Amino acid sequence: MPYIAVTALSHAGLVREHNEDSLVVGPWTLCGTVTESPQTLLFPLGRPLVVAVADGLGGQPAGEVASELVVLRLAAAGPDLDGAESLSEAVEACNRAVYAATAGRPELTTMGTTVAGVLLLEDSVLAFNVGDSKVFHTGQDGLRQVSVDDSPPPTPGRRTTSAVTQTLGGNRLPGSVTPHVADFPLPPGERCLVCSDGLTDPLPDEEIEELLRAHDDDGRAAYELWKAAIEAGGPDNITLALVRVGLGE
């Protein structure tokens, strides 16, 4: 029987005092905590499954509150999602919920989060994102980013930028978002990587691709990606999920 395997890990990194990332894998969520080692969950292929990372905005209040709110809503909405339209509506509903949560709570004003993930359906896979958390597809043709960064070009001489042009919440006055949604193939045996920028800021795509190519075991691959980000300074929270479709026996 075809199945979906999701291997995930979340860590505060070496600089941040606490973890503002949150993760959703189907009905399972991990919010503001740390996993000591990669965790693998198995699901039957056919039922809608959302796998997503929400990265609370640093430098603004309550990023962990915003990211947790988003993944909990996606976990609840996931079983009813059936395509790009319903997925976009669910992400926009998350945006409204972040703003609504700040009402009457000045300590939460301007809290916000990015989000990136995949919706796996029986015959298609949809990548989605708002902000600069990322989704990659990795297969025979190498590593390819399938999410769209909501960020300006980096300044000359730099590979990355911390600026984002679109987030869920994050402003004093409520606004709408336009989620990026795209379908892509995920044949059995190939993988996609969903991650916060705590992985991609310290590691260039070439190093991520090399590590994934070197480690076909998802648990080992997730660990080696985390280890490489830590060895590169671990400047931010690191959350990642490797998703693979298997055929079973």
Side-chain angles (χ1 to χ4, degrees):
M1 180 178 180
Y3 65 92
I4 302 164
V6 183
T7 300
L9 180 152
S10 187
H11 192 272
L14 298 179
V15 175
R16 305 294 187 187
E17 292 184 1
H18 59 282
N19 191 358
E20 295 189 350
D21 287 357
S22 295
L23 174 72
V24 56
V25 181
W28 183 76
T29 58
L30 182 69
C31 304
T33 56
V34 171
T35 51
E36 297 297 333
S37 60
Q39 308 294 310
T40 297
L41 301 172
L42 301 178
F43 302 88
L45 178 64
R47 301 173 185 171
L49 181 73
V50 173
V51 180
V53 170
D55 179 356
L57 297 183
Q60 295 182 210
E64 70 281 2
V65 176
S67 67
E68 178 177 2
L69 188 156
V70 167
V71 299
L72 290 174
R73 289 189 69 94
L74 288 174
D80 297 320
L81 301 179
D82 57 6
E85 182 176 356
S86 62
L87 177 57
S88 294
E89 291 173 352
V91 175
E92 173 58 30
C94 289
N95 179 56
R96 294 193 298 270
V98 172
Y99 281 114
T102 67
R105 301 183 66 184
E107 73 276 13
L108 300 183
T109 300
T110 74
M111 77 172 182
T113 183
T114 68
V115 69
V118 290
L119 169 63
L120 296 107
L121 302 170
E122 185 171 12
D123 55 1
S124 64
V125 180
L126 296 172
F128 66 95
N129 78 285
V130 172
D132 59 356
S133 293
K134 301 181 191 292
V135 180
F136 296 94
H137 171 244
T138 177
Q140 294 182 347
D141 296 329
L143 187 75
R144 177 175 66 95
Q145 184 174 332
V146 292
S147 57
V148 178
D149 292 338
D150 285 315
S151 56
T155 57
R158 296 183 63 88
R159 185 176 58 82
T160 63
T161 176
S162 60
V164 287
T165 57
Q166 184 176 224
T167 60
L168 305 181
N171 296 295
R172 290 188 175 276
L173 297 177
S176 62
V177 294
T178 304
H180 304 283
V181 179
D183 65 320
F184 68 98
L186 189 64
E190 295 189 356
R191 296 181 284 188
C192 65
L193 168 66
V194 179
C195 60
S196 62
D197 63 356
L199 180 72
T200 55
D201 279 358
L203 299 183
D205 292 359
E206 296 78 12
E207 186 170 354
I208 293 173
E209 181 176 4
E210 182 179 341
L211 287 168
L212 289 172
R213 187 185 302 115
H215 302 287
D216 187 61
D217 177 81
D218 293 338
R220 183 61 185 269
Y223 174 80
E224 293 296 336
L225 288 168
W226 166 81
K227 179 182 175 184
I230 290 294
E231 291 177 345
D236 202 351
N237 305 150
I238 305 162
T239 301
L240 64 99
L242 283 168
V243 183
R244 181 196 298 263
V245 176
L247 292 177
E249 298 180 359

